[in-house]
Short mmCIF file of all heavy atoms in Angstrom, two decimals:
data_model
loop_
_atom_site.label_atom_id
_atom_site.label_comp_id
_atom_site.label_asym_id
_atom_site.label_seq_id
_atom_site.Cartn_x
_atom_site.Cartn_y
_atom_site.Cartn_z
N VAL A 243 127.29 6.94 60.94
CA VAL A 243 125.91 6.66 60.85
C VAL A 243 125.13 7.91 60.82
O VAL A 243 125.68 9.06 60.95
CB VAL A 243 125.32 5.85 62.17
CG1 VAL A 243 126.12 4.53 62.25
CG2 VAL A 243 125.76 6.60 63.34
N TYR A 244 123.69 7.78 60.68
CA TYR A 244 122.82 8.99 60.61
C TYR A 244 122.95 9.75 61.97
O TYR A 244 122.90 9.10 63.03
CB TYR A 244 121.41 8.38 60.41
CG TYR A 244 120.30 9.56 60.51
CD1 TYR A 244 120.09 10.39 59.44
CD2 TYR A 244 119.60 9.71 61.67
CE1 TYR A 244 119.14 11.38 59.47
CE2 TYR A 244 118.53 10.62 61.81
CZ TYR A 244 118.37 11.53 60.73
OH TYR A 244 117.40 12.39 60.83
N GLY A 245 123.01 11.12 61.78
CA GLY A 245 123.21 11.92 63.02
C GLY A 245 122.13 13.00 63.20
O GLY A 245 122.22 13.74 64.11
N GLY A 246 121.15 13.01 62.28
CA GLY A 246 120.02 14.02 62.38
C GLY A 246 119.80 14.64 61.04
O GLY A 246 120.40 14.41 60.10
N SER A 247 118.69 15.52 61.06
CA SER A 247 118.20 16.22 59.89
C SER A 247 118.00 17.67 60.25
O SER A 247 117.57 17.95 61.31
CB SER A 247 117.00 15.51 59.30
OG SER A 247 117.21 14.23 58.96
N ASP A 248 118.14 18.42 59.22
CA ASP A 248 117.85 19.99 59.30
C ASP A 248 116.78 20.12 58.06
O ASP A 248 117.14 20.02 56.93
CB ASP A 248 119.03 20.78 59.12
CG ASP A 248 120.05 20.62 60.22
OD1 ASP A 248 119.55 20.50 61.41
OD2 ASP A 248 121.23 20.27 59.89
N LEU A 249 115.57 20.55 58.51
CA LEU A 249 114.46 20.65 57.52
C LEU A 249 113.93 22.09 57.40
O LEU A 249 113.84 22.72 58.43
CB LEU A 249 113.35 19.69 57.85
CG LEU A 249 113.71 18.28 58.15
CD1 LEU A 249 112.45 17.54 58.53
CD2 LEU A 249 114.41 17.60 56.87
N VAL A 250 113.57 22.46 56.20
CA VAL A 250 112.63 23.59 56.12
C VAL A 250 111.29 23.02 55.78
O VAL A 250 111.02 22.30 54.72
CB VAL A 250 113.18 24.47 54.87
CG1 VAL A 250 112.14 25.61 54.54
CG2 VAL A 250 114.53 25.12 55.15
N VAL A 251 110.30 23.37 56.65
CA VAL A 251 109.01 22.75 56.64
C VAL A 251 108.04 23.85 56.28
O VAL A 251 107.84 24.84 57.00
CB VAL A 251 108.64 21.96 57.87
CG1 VAL A 251 107.37 21.27 57.78
CG2 VAL A 251 109.78 21.11 58.33
N ALA A 252 107.12 23.60 55.24
CA ALA A 252 106.07 24.55 54.87
C ALA A 252 104.73 23.91 55.26
O ALA A 252 104.49 22.71 55.03
CB ALA A 252 106.16 24.86 53.43
N ARG A 253 103.89 24.84 55.79
CA ARG A 253 102.37 24.29 55.84
C ARG A 253 101.87 24.20 54.49
O ARG A 253 101.80 25.08 53.69
CB ARG A 253 101.64 25.35 56.67
CG ARG A 253 100.11 24.97 56.90
CD ARG A 253 99.32 26.18 57.22
NE ARG A 253 99.72 26.78 58.56
CZ ARG A 253 99.17 26.50 59.80
NH1 ARG A 253 98.30 25.53 59.84
NH2 ARG A 253 99.66 27.11 60.79
N GLY A 254 101.23 23.00 54.21
CA GLY A 254 100.59 22.80 52.88
C GLY A 254 101.38 21.86 52.03
O GLY A 254 102.23 21.12 52.48
N ASP A 255 101.07 21.92 50.71
CA ASP A 255 101.51 20.97 49.69
C ASP A 255 102.86 21.50 49.15
O ASP A 255 103.41 22.52 49.59
CB ASP A 255 100.50 20.73 48.71
CG ASP A 255 100.57 19.38 48.07
OD1 ASP A 255 101.64 18.89 47.93
OD2 ASP A 255 99.45 18.79 47.69
N PHE A 256 103.27 20.92 48.03
CA PHE A 256 104.52 21.29 47.39
C PHE A 256 104.53 22.79 46.91
O PHE A 256 105.53 23.38 46.85
CB PHE A 256 104.95 20.30 46.39
CG PHE A 256 105.68 19.19 46.91
CD1 PHE A 256 105.03 18.05 47.32
CD2 PHE A 256 107.03 19.22 47.17
CE1 PHE A 256 105.65 16.95 47.81
CE2 PHE A 256 107.73 18.10 47.73
CZ PHE A 256 106.96 17.10 48.06
N ASP A 257 103.32 23.20 46.44
CA ASP A 257 103.30 24.62 46.02
C ASP A 257 103.67 25.55 47.11
O ASP A 257 104.40 26.53 46.90
CB ASP A 257 101.87 24.86 45.59
CG ASP A 257 101.49 24.22 44.34
OD1 ASP A 257 102.44 23.74 43.50
OD2 ASP A 257 100.31 24.08 44.00
N ALA A 258 103.33 25.23 48.34
CA ALA A 258 103.75 26.07 49.57
C ALA A 258 105.26 26.04 49.74
O ALA A 258 105.84 27.09 50.06
CB ALA A 258 102.97 25.64 50.82
N LEU A 259 105.78 24.81 49.58
CA LEU A 259 107.22 24.69 49.90
C LEU A 259 107.98 25.44 48.77
O LEU A 259 109.05 26.07 49.05
CB LEU A 259 107.54 23.15 49.93
CG LEU A 259 109.06 22.88 50.10
CD1 LEU A 259 109.58 23.32 51.43
CD2 LEU A 259 109.38 21.35 49.95
N LEU A 260 107.64 25.30 47.50
CA LEU A 260 108.36 25.92 46.39
C LEU A 260 108.15 27.40 46.40
O LEU A 260 108.86 28.12 45.63
CB LEU A 260 107.76 25.29 45.07
CG LEU A 260 108.10 23.82 44.95
CD1 LEU A 260 107.44 23.27 43.64
CD2 LEU A 260 109.58 23.58 44.88
N ARG A 261 107.20 27.90 47.16
CA ARG A 261 107.14 29.42 47.23
C ARG A 261 108.34 30.05 48.08
O ARG A 261 108.63 31.17 48.04
CB ARG A 261 105.79 29.87 47.83
CG ARG A 261 104.68 29.72 46.85
CD ARG A 261 103.58 30.62 47.24
NE ARG A 261 102.78 29.98 48.46
CZ ARG A 261 101.84 29.05 48.33
NH1 ARG A 261 101.43 28.65 47.18
NH2 ARG A 261 101.34 28.51 49.45
N LEU A 262 108.96 29.16 48.86
CA LEU A 262 110.17 29.63 49.72
C LEU A 262 111.38 29.66 48.74
O LEU A 262 111.49 29.06 47.72
CB LEU A 262 110.38 28.72 50.88
CG LEU A 262 109.10 28.36 51.71
CD1 LEU A 262 109.59 27.32 52.88
CD2 LEU A 262 108.63 29.60 52.45
N ALA A 263 112.36 30.48 49.21
CA ALA A 263 113.61 30.54 48.52
C ALA A 263 114.44 29.28 48.83
O ALA A 263 115.01 29.20 49.87
CB ALA A 263 114.34 31.79 48.87
N LEU A 264 114.49 28.52 47.68
CA LEU A 264 115.26 27.18 47.87
C LEU A 264 116.41 27.16 46.97
O LEU A 264 116.25 27.74 45.80
CB LEU A 264 114.33 25.99 47.71
CG LEU A 264 113.12 25.91 48.54
CD1 LEU A 264 112.25 24.71 48.13
CD2 LEU A 264 113.60 25.69 50.00
N ALA A 265 117.51 26.45 47.32
CA ALA A 265 118.65 26.33 46.53
C ALA A 265 118.38 25.42 45.25
O ALA A 265 117.40 24.58 45.42
CB ALA A 265 119.85 25.87 47.33
#
Side-chain angles (χ1 to χ4, degrees):
V243 296
Y244 173 80
S247 298
D248 299 309
L249 309 177
V250 174
V251 190
R253 181 197 297 268
D255 211 323
F256 276 92
D257 289 343
L259 180 63
L260 293 172
R261 283 195 291 269
L262 305 176
L264 301 174

